[in-house]
Amino acid sequence: MNNDHYNIDKDTNSYNNLEGQFSWRSPSNIALVKYWGKKAVQLPLNPSISFTLNHAHTTTSVSYQKRPSSNDWLTFRFEGKEETFFGKRVQSFLESLTDIFPFIELLQFEIDSENSFPHSSGIASSASSMSAIALCLCSIEEVISNQKQNKEEFLKKASFVARLGSGSACRSVYPSLAIWGNAKDITLSDDHIAIPHQDYAPIYQDYHDDIIIISGEKKSVSSTAGHKLMDSNPFADTRYEQARNNLQHLLVALKNGDLDKFIDTVEEEALTLHALMMCSRPSYTLMKPNTLAAIERIRDYRLRKHVPIAFTLDAGPNIHVLYPHQYVSEVKDFIKEELMPLTESNQIIEDQVGPGPIKLS
Ligand code: DP6
């Protein structure tokens, strides 16, 4: 596949039904092997793999009708209010897609979006929001071009389009686990789309991810700026090699249900992501003191109680606690007693591996 894979001739004469509405609910995902470093329009410099989450999701409705000649062709509302910052990002995203979806230039859109997770939770919403928009656009295309695709082709295209909005978003269109980026021995893996990953032991099917909100502060470096720092990071090549190896280790751990290997790999990935940011120029320390305190408590609890919990981190201070469903009651007690006091406002988002996006209309 290449970046022009879905570009089509702009024959818009065959379109009909230029009015309608679609809604999709699309989840966030948490990377186990991280995407950090990209080229061109979100082509990753190493492969990544993520759990698709269940409760942290974005619901997006896109209403469309024939565009009048006015310039105002997009209204974007977030949680019922017009929002210009993300609205601008959505506008340039749509403008960038006219080779793939020529109908965009013929339509006027009203987009309403809301997240299931609080605004100040520090959870990155670009994966869920960009994948929800991509899914709506693919649904619109089916109707106005009167060409229904099979589910696999539909999700492939949604993944491709979501990636153009935000890299990690391309993994959100699949249930449970998704791999994005060319990976050794995974025949269908591709830098342009994510693919579903189904070769895993049952223990991961309902794995938990409880997100401990150490701080809800806005991130001090955007992901896009963070990826850019990798271009001059002295450890970049070694890092990409490490990620490729870690993906191989993790695939074995997923297949065999090897939790020790899972924990070692996932934690190394999280800490490497932060180490890379610390040794970039300019340098960023995105962990807070309580992030480190939580990591120590998690590791200590694991050793003391022989409960296989692990942590991972996004590009921010909040801790994702990962554990198998069978330990739910003791881990929830541990979180309440030992991690809750480290949060800013007792905020914890309880999530789990989920079934992927749902079409609502
Ligand atoms: C640390 O997908 O948010 O969460 O492609 O620039 O939109 P852009 O970046 P984004 O980066 C996510 C980085 C990460 C790791 C990951 O999800 O793999």
CSV table of all heavy atoms in Angstrom, one decimal, residues 29 31 33-36 38 42 48 89 124 126 163 165-169 171 180 219 223-224 227 273 313-315, ligand 1:
chain,number,residue,atom,x,y,z
A,29,ASN,N,-7.2,4.0,22.5
A,29,ASN,CA,-6.4,2.7,22.6
A,29,ASN,C,-5.1,3.1,23.5
A,29,ASN,O,-4.7,4.2,23.6
A,29,ASN,CB,-6.0,2.1,21.3
A,29,ASN,CG,-5.1,3.0,20.4
A,29,ASN,OD1,-3.9,3.1,20.7
A,29,ASN,ND2,-5.6,3.7,19.4
A,31,ALA,N,-1.1,2.1,23.7
A,31,ALA,CA,-0.1,1.3,23.0
A,31,ALA,C,0.7,0.5,24.1
A,31,ALA,O,1.1,1.0,25.2
A,31,ALA,CB,0.9,2.3,22.3
A,33,VAL,N,3.5,-1.5,22.7
A,33,VAL,CA,4.8,-1.0,22.0
A,33,VAL,C,4.5,0.3,21.4
A,33,VAL,O,3.5,0.4,20.6
A,33,VAL,CB,5.3,-2.1,21.0
A,33,VAL,CG1,6.5,-1.5,20.2
A,33,VAL,CG2,5.7,-3.4,21.7
A,34,LYS,N,5.2,1.3,21.7
A,34,LYS,CA,4.9,2.7,21.4
A,34,LYS,C,5.3,3.1,20.0
A,34,LYS,O,6.4,2.8,19.5
A,34,LYS,CB,5.5,3.6,22.4
A,34,LYS,CG,5.3,3.3,23.8
A,34,LYS,CD,3.9,3.5,24.3
A,34,LYS,CE,3.7,3.2,25.8
A,34,LYS,NZ,2.3,3.3,26.2
A,35,TYR,N,4.5,3.9,19.4
A,35,TYR,CA,4.8,4.7,18.2
A,35,TYR,C,5.3,6.0,18.6
A,35,TYR,O,4.7,6.8,19.3
A,35,TYR,CB,3.5,4.8,17.4
A,35,TYR,CG,3.2,6.1,16.6
A,35,TYR,CD1,4.1,6.4,15.5
A,35,TYR,CD2,2.1,6.9,16.8
A,35,TYR,CE1,3.8,7.6,14.7
A,35,TYR,CE2,1.8,8.0,16.0
A,35,TYR,CZ,2.7,8.3,15.0
A,35,TYR,OH,2.4,9.5,14.2
A,36,TRP,N,6.6,6.2,18.3
A,36,TRP,CA,7.2,7.5,18.7
A,36,TRP,C,8.3,7.8,17.7
A,36,TRP,O,9.4,7.3,17.7
A,36,TRP,CB,7.8,7.4,20.1
A,36,TRP,CG,8.0,8.8,20.8
A,36,TRP,CD1,9.2,9.3,21.2
A,36,TRP,CD2,7.0,9.7,21.1
A,36,TRP,NE1,9.0,10.5,21.7
A,36,TRP,CE2,7.7,10.8,21.7
A,36,TRP,CE3,5.6,9.8,20.9
A,36,TRP,CZ2,7.0,12.0,22.1
A,36,TRP,CZ3,5.0,10.9,21.4
A,36,TRP,CH2,5.6,12.0,21.9
A,38,LYS,N,8.0,9.7,13.4
A,38,LYS,CA,7.3,9.4,12.2
A,38,LYS,C,7.9,10.2,11.1
A,38,LYS,O,8.7,11.1,11.3
A,38,LYS,CB,5.8,9.8,12.4
A,38,LYS,CG,5.7,11.4,12.6
A,38,LYS,CD,4.2,11.7,12.7
A,38,LYS,CE,4.0,13.1,13.1
A,38,LYS,NZ,2.5,13.5,13.3
A,42,GLN,N,2.2,10.9,9.0
A,42,GLN,CA,2.0,9.8,10.0
A,42,GLN,C,2.4,8.4,9.4
A,42,GLN,O,1.6,7.5,9.5
A,42,GLN,CB,0.6,9.7,10.4
A,42,GLN,CG,0.3,10.7,11.6
A,42,GLN,CD,0.0,12.1,11.1
A,42,GLN,OE1,0.8,12.9,11.3
A,42,GLN,NE2,-1.1,12.3,10.5
A,48,SER,N,4.0,-0.6,16.0
A,48,SER,CA,3.4,-0.5,17.4
A,48,SER,C,2.2,-1.5,17.5
A,48,SER,O,1.7,-2.0,16.5
A,48,SER,CB,3.0,0.9,17.6
A,48,SER,OG,2.0,1.3,16.7
A,89,ARG,N,-8.5,21.9,13.4
A,89,ARG,CA,-7.8,20.7,13.1
A,89,ARG,C,-8.6,19.7,12.2
A,89,ARG,O,-8.2,19.1,11.3
A,89,ARG,CB,-7.3,20.0,14.4
A,89,ARG,CG,-6.5,18.7,14.1
A,89,ARG,CD,-5.7,18.3,15.3
A,89,ARG,NE,-5.1,17.0,15.1
A,89,ARG,CZ,-4.6,16.2,16.0
A,89,ARG,NH1,-4.6,16.6,17.3
A,89,ARG,NH2,-4.1,15.0,15.7
A,124,ALA,N,-5.4,11.3,26.0
A,124,ALA,CA,-5.3,11.8,24.6
A,124,ALA,C,-6.6,11.4,23.9
A,124,ALA,O,-7.0,10.3,23.9
A,124,ALA,CB,-4.1,11.3,23.9
A,126,SER,N,-7.2,12.2,20.5
A,126,SER,CA,-7.1,12.2,19.1
A,126,SER,C,-7.3,10.9,18.5
A,126,SER,O,-7.9,10.8,17.4
A,126,SER,CB,-5.7,12.8,18.6
A,126,SER,OG,-4.7,12.0,19.0
A,163,ARG,N,-5.5,7.3,10.2
A,163,ARG,CA,-4.0,7.6,10.4
A,163,ARG,C,-3.6,8.9,9.9
A,163,ARG,O,-2.8,9.6,10.4
A,163,ARG,CB,-3.3,6.5,9.6
A,163,ARG,CG,-1.8,6.6,9.7
A,163,ARG,CD,-1.0,5.9,8.6
A,163,ARG,NE,-0.6,6.9,7.6
A,163,ARG,CZ,-0.8,6.8,6.3
A,163,ARG,NH1,-1.5,5.9,5.8
A,163,ARG,NH2,-0.4,7.8,5.5
A,165,GLY,N,-5.3,11.5,10.1
A,165,GLY,CA,-5.7,12.5,11.1
A,165,GLY,C,-4.8,12.4,12.3
A,165,GLY,O,-4.4,13.5,12.9
A,166,SER,N,-4.5,11.3,12.8
A,166,SER,CA,-3.6,11.1,13.9
A,166,SER,C,-3.1,9.6,13.9
A,166,SER,O,-3.9,8.7,13.8
A,166,SER,CB,-4.3,11.3,15.3
A,166,SER,OG,-3.4,11.1,16.3
A,167,GLY,N,-1.8,9.5,13.9
A,167,GLY,CA,-1.2,8.1,13.7
A,167,GLY,C,-1.9,7.0,14.6
A,167,GLY,O,-2.4,6.0,14.0
A,168,SER,N,-1.9,7.2,15.9
A,168,SER,CA,-2.4,6.2,16.8
A,168,SER,C,-3.9,5.9,16.5
A,168,SER,O,-4.4,4.8,16.9
A,168,SER,CB,-2.2,6.6,18.2
A,168,SER,OG,-2.8,7.8,18.5
A,169,ALA,N,-4.6,6.8,15.9
A,169,ALA,CA,-6.1,6.6,15.6
A,169,ALA,C,-6.3,5.4,14.7
A,169,ALA,O,-7.4,4.8,14.8
A,169,ALA,CB,-6.7,7.9,15.0
A,171,ARG,N,-5.2,2.5,14.9
A,171,ARG,CA,-5.3,1.3,15.6
A,171,ARG,C,-6.7,1.1,16.3
A,171,ARG,O,-7.0,0.0,16.7
A,171,ARG,CB,-4.2,1.2,16.7
A,171,ARG,CG,-2.8,1.2,16.1
A,171,ARG,CD,-1.7,0.9,17.2
A,171,ARG,NE,-2.0,1.9,18.3
A,171,ARG,CZ,-1.1,2.8,18.7
A,171,ARG,NH1,0.2,2.8,18.3
A,171,ARG,NH2,-1.4,3.6,19.7
A,180,TRP,N,0.2,-1.8,14.1
A,180,TRP,CA,0.3,-0.8,13.0
A,180,TRP,C,1.8,-0.7,12.6
A,180,TRP,O,2.6,-0.5,13.5
A,180,TRP,CB,-0.2,0.6,13.5
A,180,TRP,CG,0.1,1.7,12.5
A,180,TRP,CD1,0.2,1.7,11.2
A,180,TRP,CD2,0.5,3.1,12.9
A,180,TRP,NE1,0.5,3.0,10.7
A,180,TRP,CE2,0.7,3.8,11.7
A,180,TRP,CE3,0.6,3.7,14.2
A,180,TRP,CZ2,1.0,5.2,11.7
A,180,TRP,CZ3,0.9,5.1,14.2
A,180,TRP,CH2,1.2,5.8,13.0
A,219,LYS,N,-0.9,18.7,28.3
A,219,LYS,CA,0.4,18.2,28.0
A,219,LYS,C,1.3,19.4,27.6
A,219,LYS,O,0.9,20.3,26.9
A,219,LYS,CB,0.4,17.2,26.9
A,219,LYS,CG,-0.2,15.9,27.3
A,219,LYS,CD,0.1,14.8,26.3
A,219,LYS,CE,-0.7,14.9,25.0
A,219,LYS,NZ,-0.5,13.8,24.1
A,223,SER,N,1.8,15.6,20.8
A,223,SER,CA,2.4,14.4,20.2
A,223,SER,C,3.2,14.7,19.0
A,223,SER,O,4.3,14.2,18.8
A,223,SER,CB,1.4,13.4,19.9
A,223,SER,OG,0.6,13.0,21.0
A,224,THR,N,2.6,15.6,18.2
A,224,THR,CA,3.3,15.9,16.9
A,224,THR,C,4.7,16.5,17.1
A,224,THR,O,5.6,16.1,16.5
A,224,THR,CB,2.4,16.9,16.1
A,224,THR,OG1,1.1,16.2,15.9
A,224,THR,CG2,3.0,17.2,14.7
A,227,HIS,N,7.0,13.7,18.4
A,227,HIS,CA,7.5,12.8,17.3
A,227,HIS,C,8.7,13.5,16.6
A,227,HIS,O,9.7,12.9,16.3
A,227,HIS,CB,6.4,12.5,16.3
A,227,HIS,CG,5.3,11.6,16.8
A,227,HIS,ND1,5.5,10.2,17.0
A,227,HIS,CD2,4.0,11.8,17.1
A,227,HIS,CE1,4.4,9.7,17.4
A,227,HIS,NE2,3.5,10.6,17.5
A,273,LEU,N,9.9,5.4,26.3
A,273,LEU,CA,9.2,6.6,25.7
A,273,LEU,C,9.6,7.9,26.5
A,273,LEU,O,9.9,8.9,26.0
A,273,LEU,CB,7.7,6.4,25.7
A,273,LEU,CG,6.8,7.5,25.4
A,273,LEU,CD1,6.9,7.8,23.9
A,273,LEU,CD2,5.3,7.2,25.8
A,313,LEU,N,2.5,4.0,30.2
A,313,LEU,CA,2.4,5.5,30.2
A,313,LEU,C,2.1,5.9,28.8
A,313,LEU,O,2.7,5.4,27.9
A,313,LEU,CB,3.6,6.2,30.8
A,313,LEU,CG,4.1,5.8,32.1
A,313,LEU,CD1,5.6,6.1,32.3
A,313,LEU,CD2,3.4,6.6,33.2
A,314,ASP,N,1.4,7.0,28.7
A,314,ASP,CA,1.3,7.7,27.4
A,314,ASP,C,2.3,8.8,27.5
A,314,ASP,O,3.1,8.9,28.4
A,314,ASP,CB,-0.1,8.3,27.3
A,314,ASP,CG,-0.9,7.6,26.3
A,314,ASP,OD1,-0.4,6.8,25.5
A,314,ASP,OD2,-2.2,7.7,26.4
A,315,ALA,N,2.3,9.8,26.6
A,315,ALA,CA,3.2,10.9,26.6
A,315,ALA,C,2.7,11.9,27.7
A,315,ALA,O,2.3,13.0,27.3
A,315,ALA,CB,3.4,11.5,25.3
B,1,DP6,C1,2.9,8.1,23.0
B,1,DP6,O1,-0.9,9.4,17.4
B,1,DP6,O2,-1.0,11.2,19.1
B,1,DP6,O3,0.6,7.7,22.5
B,1,DP6,O4,0.4,11.0,14.8
B,1,DP6,O5,1.2,13.1,15.7
B,1,DP6,O6,-1.2,12.5,16.0
B,1,DP6,P1,0.2,12.0,15.8
B,1,DP6,O7,0.6,11.4,17.2
B,1,DP6,P2,-0.2,10.4,18.2
B,1,DP6,O8,1.0,9.8,19.0
B,1,DP6,C2,0.8,8.8,20.0
B,1,DP6,C3,2.0,8.6,20.8
B,1,DP6,C4,1.9,7.7,21.9
B,1,DP6,C5,2.2,6.2,21.6
B,1,DP6,C6,1.2,5.4,20.8
B,1,DP6,O9,0.0,5.7,20.9
B,1,DP6,O10,1.7,4.5,20.1
